[in-house]
Amino acid sequence: MQGGSSGIGYGLKYQARCISDVKADTDHTSFITGTLSLREENEVHLLRLSSGGTELICEGLFSHPNEIWDLSSCPFDQRIFSTVFSTGESFGAAVWQIPELYGQLNSPQLERIASLDGHAGKVNCILWWPSGRNDKLISIDEENLFLWSLDCSRKAAQVQSKESAGMLHYLSGGAWDPHDVNAVAATCESSVQFWDLRTMKKTSSIECGHVRNVDYDTRKMHILVTAEDESGIHVWDLRMPKVPINELRGHSHWTWASGGTDSTVNLWFASTTSDELTSGSVVASPSQKLDPLLFSFNDYEDSVYGLAWSSREPWIFASLSYDGRVVVESVKPYLPRK
């Protein structure tokens, strides 16, 4: 099925491409997003879904000095987040803190906790320790992977270790394994590289199409999802990495975690067949024979670059199109009935 969104909308003032769930806010369903304007002063918007689920409320609006290319909320402190930004001439990365009394201030200013300096090339993303309180951060640029130690009280970040991806390898992003905090997956053109943080060495890789995005299944071990330019979404079982266990094709253009440059958001119902795979069988379950595409939201007017699932209400996700439109949607009306 396809059609327009029935979700709750919110408009940013400028173009944007990144949005993050505020995981540490356990009392509200919240998202944080930032803009990408070359000529204007950029903004960070802290958004909260109303208790009735009918309105997106701007809890805080903050100035950010540069274009925001990546934004990620701290998993243990709802007032802390990281950004990757561009000055127009170079890229940088920093960790920021929202002032404590931001709701009572006329023009609250973000506090820069630490700058993640040391990158010579374009910084692509910042990864936070996947769960619980920890001082570790990862930053990935086109050629290197950095492991940082962050001290918020001293407002400092130090490089603990650094490793190069090697000649002719260009990293574009990554994901931290929530089931193994020593493992990180890094996207590298037509492959995904796996790194052991204890040795800062590559342990293995899987070959695939030009990878745009990668993420781990937070509930099941060994399951990885890749979004690729021409072949859509692939689901992998890392115990048998030669071929994906599921393929989801639904975008007519590049795929970005099932929001695409075709101005579409696709909602999928995909089995990872983990039960069958753990018993040694690679035969798909009967449910996979059904069309896994539940709904295609096609009323966006620009490319959709940002998607974030709520950790507090996992049936809710937020999408962000390049024209600055945020839409929060519930998947419940689209789930197959038992």
Side-chain angles (χ1 to χ4, degrees):
M1 293 179 62
Q2 64 179 14
S5 169
S6 59
I8 303 155
Y10 178 89
L12 306 180
K13 192 174 180 180
Y14 307 118
Q15 295 171 327
R17 62 185 298 139
C18 47
I19 188 167
S20 174
D21 167 50
V22 184
K23 186 177 181 180
D25 186 357
T26 56
D27 296 325
H28 310 97
T29 298
S30 302
F31 300 94
I32 189 168
T33 182
T35 63
L36 188 77
S37 174
L38 180 60
R39 293 183 176 87
E40 306 293 338
E41 187 170 41
N42 284 280
E43 299 174 342
V44 172
H45 294 241
L46 179 61
L47 306 176
R48 173 175 60 83
L49 187 63
S50 65
S51 57
T54 58
E55 184 181 4
L56 265 180
I57 302 167
C58 182
E59 285 281 282
L61 176 60
F62 314 98
S63 296
H64 187 280
N66 305 110
E67 300 175 320
I68 301 173
W69 284 80
D70 177 78
L71 184 151
S72 186
S73 182
C74 172
F76 57 82
D77 190 326
Q78 62 183 336
R79 291 170 48 223
I80 295 176
F81 64 96
S82 61
T83 62
V84 171
F85 52 84
S86 170
T87 64
E89 298 178 353
S90 62
F91 277 79
V95 178
W96 308 85
Q97 185 167 17
I98 295 171
E100 189 170 3
L101 300 177
Y102 65 89
Q104 303 173 24
L105 301 176
N106 291 328
S107 56
Q109 296 296 311
L110 294 172
E111 180 182 5
R112 189 190 297 244
I113 294 179
S115 295
L116 305 181
D117 298 327
H119 293 273
K122 177 185 176 183
V123 189
N124 289 308
C125 68
I126 306 297
L127 307 178
W128 290 86
W129 184 271
S131 62
R133 181 176 291 272
N134 197 284
D135 64 347
K136 300 297 185 295
L137 278 176
I138 289 174
S139 60
I140 298 175
D141 64 27
E142 290 182 320
E143 299 178 357
N144 305 284
L145 187 147
F146 289 73
L147 180 64
W148 299 83
S149 176
L150 176 67
D151 190 332
C152 293
S153 61
R154 295 179 58 191
K155 299 181 182 179
Q158 290 186 329
V159 177
Q160 285 202 324
S161 50
K162 168 190 172 183
E163 189 57 53
S164 169
M167 294 291 290
L168 303 178
H169 289 289
Y170 294 96
L171 303 176
S172 58
W176 205 325
D177 189 341
H179 309 287
D180 180 359
V181 293
N182 295 310
V184 167
T187 54
C188 182
E189 297 165 324
S190 58
S191 69
V192 178
Q193 298 179 352
F194 298 95
W195 292 70
D196 188 325
L197 296 179
R198 293 166 295 190
T199 61
M200 291 298 284
K201 299 297 182 184
K202 287 174 281 189
T203 57
S204 62
S205 65
I206 56 176
E207 301 299 320
C208 39
H210 194 287
V211 187
R212 288 274 161 184
N213 210 343
V214 65
D215 206 357
Y216 285 92
D217 188 324
T218 57
R219 296 181 303 164
K220 299 177 182 177
M221 295 178 63
H222 312 298
I223 302 300
L224 187 82
V225 179
T226 57
E228 303 166 31
D229 270 1
E230 298 179 357
S231 52
I233 292 177
H234 285 172
V235 183
W236 304 81
D237 187 313
L238 299 180
R239 294 164 294 183
M240 294 177 289
K242 290 186 178 181
V243 294
I245 59 174
N246 207 340
E247 298 184 26
L248 308 173
R249 300 174 183 270
H251 288 285
S252 61
H253 208 255
W254 294 350
T255 305
W256 209 287
S258 215
T261 53
D262 56 0
S263 305
T264 300
V265 171
N266 284 338
L267 179 63
W268 302 93
F269 186 79
S271 169
T272 58
T273 65
S274 58
D275 294 336
E276 293 91 335
L277 289 167
T278 51
S279 64
S281 170
V282 294
V283 178
S285 66
S287 63
Q288 282 185 282
K289 303 299 182 182
L290 303 175
D291 185 357
L293 181 58
L294 296 180
F295 198 83
S296 185
F297 304 96
N298 59 7
D299 60 338
Y300 292 86
E301 296 181 1
D302 213 332
S303 301
V304 181
Y305 287 121
L307 283 174
W309 287 92
S310 168
S311 54
R312 181 174 176 269
E313 297 182 280
W315 55 90
I316 289 176
F317 71 92
S319 60
L320 173 67
S321 52
Y322 190 60
D323 57 4
R325 180 189 178 202
V326 178
V327 178
V328 171
E329 196 87 47
S330 171
V331 305
K332 286 184 176 181
Y334 308 102
L335 294 177
R337 297 180 180 179
K338 296 181 180 180

